[in-house]
């Protein structure tokens, strides 16, 4: 195989993140494209192998649930990074902070006065049928009035170059460890490119996460005891749980490691006795965190945890009930939510959405199922969706019945022409593959956004599904300062 020839590369009508037109890299990608063009076939293959070996040695894995089995797989990674210029990212950063601030105000309002519902901005029936609204959280006040301390918002770019927010993940968002490890792998494979000073660092995330969690402590005068609560080794994101605990220097615990005392404080069992816990970064879903209040059969939670949290003796991140805003129907109201609470126009646009609970929208969706992407309100991981243009008649008929049976649970959006990015494929050829981006936003005393995020890539040609559980992979994400040294 000859060297990479960018003159032969085309994304066929899609916006490409690196290549403006055949043979024309975008200004922020020129250095990378020149570097790759200078590698011969053997060197390119060696780079790919070096990345695969690094991933094996570093033990970067994810778990796939299939046919009742749990399969641990090496993290699928593409060595060609996705690049965004710093000037564009600064605007995106501001838009994400605005969005999460409004969403936290919205959640806090819902569990207190519900002014936004009384004022008719969000219809009462939307809240009434929300599966993630937790009556157990009504009246609870959280530190800094923040409920969603860690948010992962998914961004996509359409063919005109506009970045849209596709959805907000406010319950137990995952993927940040892979963002950090992607950078570590890329530095091993292409260290020379980091010498320019143009590529912005990402390795301060765990320090920022620790500081944010510490700011929630009910005992601010002391060195807080922070733990990460994991469902255990069989959870698909267990790699991330252990990685973050190790990087922050905090304990990784399961429900059986914690106990709520008679004083309604949470304690961690240790060899030398019990130690009080101040902050729990919980990676367990609401319904399993406290069998006293939620699922009584849960073996993953802690008896009395909600009692301790309600009394302010322990902080939980993310707060139970934050998922009320992690709803694809609520998503459609976020522009109005921003305007209502902040008096501002959204800096980042939503994808146009149709809510099947409204008759006119429902009729349009049912008449255009072959053109739309239909999503259930509360699924994640790319499950339960209908991608209209790629669907069969039978699948569309099935979805039509689902929508008619439970219209509140479905919304639809146009099929976006997701941007592409050059990807090194099995034949060692550069081919365009569709990508999205998940930045992470931390909210405590202040709000902080990762420099870039986790770029997920649909490794299957023509596919729009980027989730690793369904054949997707990821890339390093470079925010490049063209004015850098």
């Amino acid at each position: 195989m000859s060297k990479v020839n960018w003159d032969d590369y085309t994304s066929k009508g899609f916006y490409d993140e690196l290549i403006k037109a055949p043979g024309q890299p975008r200004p922020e990608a020129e250095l990378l494209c020149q570097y790759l063009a200078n590698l011969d076939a053997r060197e390119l293959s060696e780079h790919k192998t070096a990345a695969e070996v690094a991933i094996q040695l570093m033990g970067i894995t994810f778990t796939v649930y299939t046919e009742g089995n749990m399969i641990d797989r090496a993290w699928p990674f593409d060595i060609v990074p996705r690049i965004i210029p710093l000037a564009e990212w600064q605007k995106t950063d501001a838009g994400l902070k605005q969005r999460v601030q409004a969403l936290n105000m919205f959640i806090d309002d819902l569990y207190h006065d519900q002014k936004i519902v009384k004022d008719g901005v969000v219809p009462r029936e939307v809240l009434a049928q929300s599966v993630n609204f937790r009556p157990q959280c009504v009246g609870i006040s959280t530190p800094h009035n923040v409920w969603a301390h860690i948010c992962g918002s998914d961004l996509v770019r359409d063919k005109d170059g506009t970045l849209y927010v596709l959805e907000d993940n406010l319950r137990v968002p995952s993927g940040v460890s892979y963002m950090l490890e992607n950078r570590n792998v890329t530095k091993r494979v292409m260290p020379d490119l980091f010498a320019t000073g143009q590529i912005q660092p990402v390795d301060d995330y765990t320090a920022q996460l620790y500081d944010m969690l510490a700011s929630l402590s009910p005992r601010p005068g002391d060195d807080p005891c922070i733990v990460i609560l994991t469902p255990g080794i069989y959870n698909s994101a267990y790699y991330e749980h252990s990685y973050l605990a190790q990087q922050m220097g905090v304990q990784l615990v399961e429900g059986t490691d914690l106990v709520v005392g008679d004083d309604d404080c949470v304690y961690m069992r240790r060899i030398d006795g019990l130690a009080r816990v101040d902050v729990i970064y919980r990676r367990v879903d609401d319904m399993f965190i406290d069998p006293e209040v939620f699922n009584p059969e849960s073996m993953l939670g802690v008896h009395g945890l909600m009692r301790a949290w309600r009394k302010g003796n322990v902080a939980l991140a993310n707060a139970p009930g934050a998922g009320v805003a992690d709803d694809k129907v609520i998503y459609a109201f976020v522009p109005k939510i921003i305007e209502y609470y902040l008096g501002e126009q959204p800096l980042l646009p939503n994808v146009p959405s149709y809510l099947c609970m409204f008759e006119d929208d429902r009729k349009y969706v049912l008449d255009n199922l072959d053109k739309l992407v239909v999503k259930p309100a509360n699924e994640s991981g790319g499950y339960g969706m209908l991608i209209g243009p790629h669907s069969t008649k039978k699948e569309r008929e099935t979805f039509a019945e689902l929508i008619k049976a439970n219209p509140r649970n479905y919304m639809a959006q146009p099929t976006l022409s997701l941007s592409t990015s050059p990807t090194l494929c099995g034949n060692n050829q550069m081919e365009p593959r569709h990508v999205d981006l998940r930045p992470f936003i931390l909210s405590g005393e202040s709000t902080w956004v990762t420099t870039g995020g986790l770029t997920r890539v649909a490794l299957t040609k023509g596919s729009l599904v980027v989730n690793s559980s369904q054949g997707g992979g990821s890339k390093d994400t470079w925010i490049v300062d063209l004015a850098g040294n």
Side-chain angles (χ1 to χ4, degrees):
M1 187 194 91
S2 59
K3 293 183 178 182
V4 175
N5 183 355
W6 295 113
D7 293 335
D8 296 336
Y9 179 90
T10 176
S11 59
K12 298 175 183 174
F14 297 100
Y15 182 101
D16 194 86
E17 299 289 335
L18 300 192
I19 307 296
K20 188 162 41 175
Q24 295 182 45
R26 299 186 185 280
E28 61 273 15
E30 283 182 0
L31 190 64
L32 172 69
C33 290
Q34 182 182 356
Y35 175 86
L36 292 171
N38 287 334
L39 299 177
D40 60 30
R42 180 182 57 80
E43 292 169 322
L44 202 58
S45 185
E46 286 173 352
H47 277 58
K48 187 176 180 181
T49 301
E52 291 168 353
V53 169
I55 287 166
Q56 292 282 354
L57 290 174
M58 294 159 75
I60 309 172
T61 63
F62 74 106
T63 305
V64 176
Y65 300 112
T66 176
E67 297 177 358
N69 297 315
M70 288 170 285
I71 302 171
D72 227 23
R73 291 182 177 167
W75 181 242
F77 176 75
D78 178 61
I79 66 167
V80 185
R82 182 249 194 95
I83 300 180
I84 300 171
L86 179 61
E88 180 189 10
W89 187 251
Q90 288 169 336
K91 297 173 186 174
T92 306
D93 179 291
L96 290 167
K97 287 176 178 174
Q98 177 199 54
R99 191 174 181 96
V100 170
Q101 181 186 358
L103 284 168
N104 271 306
M105 294 173 77
F106 171 68
I107 299 166
D108 196 60
D109 184 17
L110 290 187
Y111 289 115
H112 290 90
D113 299 329
Q114 298 192 357
K115 291 178 182 176
I116 197 168
V117 177
K118 292 172 183 172
D119 289 342
V121 178
V122 173
R124 191 169 295 279
E125 61 265 33
V126 170
L127 179 60
Q129 298 181 49
S130 168
V131 301
N132 287 309
F133 179 80
R134 306 287 178 226
Q136 301 89 341
C137 297
V138 170
I140 293 179
S141 295
T142 57
H144 320 301
N145 297 320
V146 171
W147 292 71
H149 306 91
I150 301 101
C151 173
S153 290
D154 292 341
L155 307 180
V156 293
R157 197 192 297 277
D158 202 4
K159 59 186 173 186
D160 63 357
T162 303
L163 266 182
Y164 290 92
V165 180
L166 185 65
E167 62 182 53
D168 304 290
N169 298 283
L170 303 163
R171 281 177 279 182
V172 192
S174 62
V176 75
S177 61
Y178 300 113
M179 177 195 84
L180 299 170
E181 293 285 46
N182 285 352
R183 176 58 55 87
N184 291 332
V185 172
T186 308
K187 278 184 172 179
R188 288 190 181 200
V189 175
M190 295 184 280
D192 296 349
L193 292 175
F194 288 86
T196 64
Q198 293 183 345
I199 303 167
Q200 302 301 292
V202 298
D203 52 7
D204 54 345
Y205 176 81
T206 49
Q208 295 284 351
L209 177 61
Y210 182 90
D211 289 346
M212 183 276 290
L213 293 171
S215 79
L216 309 179
S217 174
R219 299 187 296 169
D222 298 327
D223 189 20
C225 176
I226 300 170
V227 300
I228 297 180
L229 176 62
T230 177
I233 60 171
Y234 296 114
N235 184 266
S236 62
Y238 182 76
Y239 172 82
E240 176 157 297
H241 307 164
S242 57
Y243 175 88
L244 292 175
Q246 186 264 330
Q247 291 294 313
M248 287 195 291
V250 304
Q251 291 293 322
L252 181 65
V253 300
E254 296 184 27
T256 52
D257 298 318
L258 302 178
V259 62
V260 175
D262 294 337
D263 56 357
D264 290 331
C265 292
V266 180
Y267 295 89
M268 174 173 51
R269 292 186 171 95
R270 300 197 313 191
I271 294 173
D272 56 350
L274 298 176
R276 182 169 170 186
V277 173
D278 298 301
V279 183
I280 300 174
Y281 176 15
R282 53 109 183 181
R283 299 299 296 256
V284 177
D285 288 338
D286 284 2
M287 297 307 292
F288 299 97
I289 61 171
D290 184 350
E292 279 186 13
V293 175
F294 297 115
N295 186 339
E297 297 181 1
S298 172
M299 305 291 288
L300 304 177
V302 184
H303 282 271
L305 183 59
M306 287 290 288
R307 213 177 340 117
W309 178 60
R310 179 180 280 277
K311 292 193 174 182
N313 293 333
V314 70
L316 298 178
N318 283 349
V324 68
D326 186 350
D327 178 318
K328 294 177 179 64
V329 173
I330 292 291
Y331 160 91
F333 291 94
V334 172
K336 290 182 179 179
I337 289 170
I338 291 171
E339 194 171 347
Y340 180 82
Y341 292 109
L342 302 179
E344 301 169 358
Q345 291 301 307
L347 298 173
L348 290 173
N350 265 24
V351 178
S353 301
Y354 304 94
L355 301 183
C356 295
M357 64 184 292
F358 299 131
E359 187 175 349
D360 288 348
D361 282 13
R362 182 166 67 251
K363 185 177 186 309
Y364 177 82
V365 171
L366 291 172
D367 290 344
N368 293 276
L369 283 174
D370 60 328
K371 304 180 187 71
L372 300 169
V373 175
V374 183
K375 302 177 181 179
N378 293 290
E379 287 283 354
S380 60
Y383 291 103
M385 290 169 45
L386 176 80
I387 301 178
H390 298 170
S391 65
T392 64
K393 184 180 179 184
K394 185 176 181 182
E395 287 170 339
R396 292 193 293 275
E397 288 172 350
T398 299
F399 261 77
E401 293 305 315
L402 290 169
I403 290 167
K404 291 173 187 174
N406 187 4
R408 161 61 175 86
N409 193 46
Y410 290 93
M411 58 93 76
Q413 296 170 328
T415 307
L416 294 183
S417 301
L418 292 192
S419 65
T420 60
S421 192
T423 301
L424 187 61
C425 296
N427 54 4
N428 259 5
Q429 296 283 346
M430 289 293 176
E431 297 181 9
R433 292 291 185 268
H434 295 291
V435 293
D436 77 350
L437 179 66
R438 178 175 290 183
F440 294 85
I441 308 100
L442 301 179
S443 302
E445 282 181 309
S446 58
T447 307
W448 181 86
V449 180
T450 51
T451 311
L454 176 66
T455 288
R456 300 182 299 179
V457 54
L459 295 174
T460 303
K461 188 172 184 177
S463 173
L464 298 173
V465 181
V466 298
N467 305 81
S468 56
S469 56
Q470 298 192 53
S474 74
K475 297 168 167 283
D476 193 9
T477 307
W478 292 1
I479 305 301
V480 169
D481 181 6
L482 293 176
N485 299 325

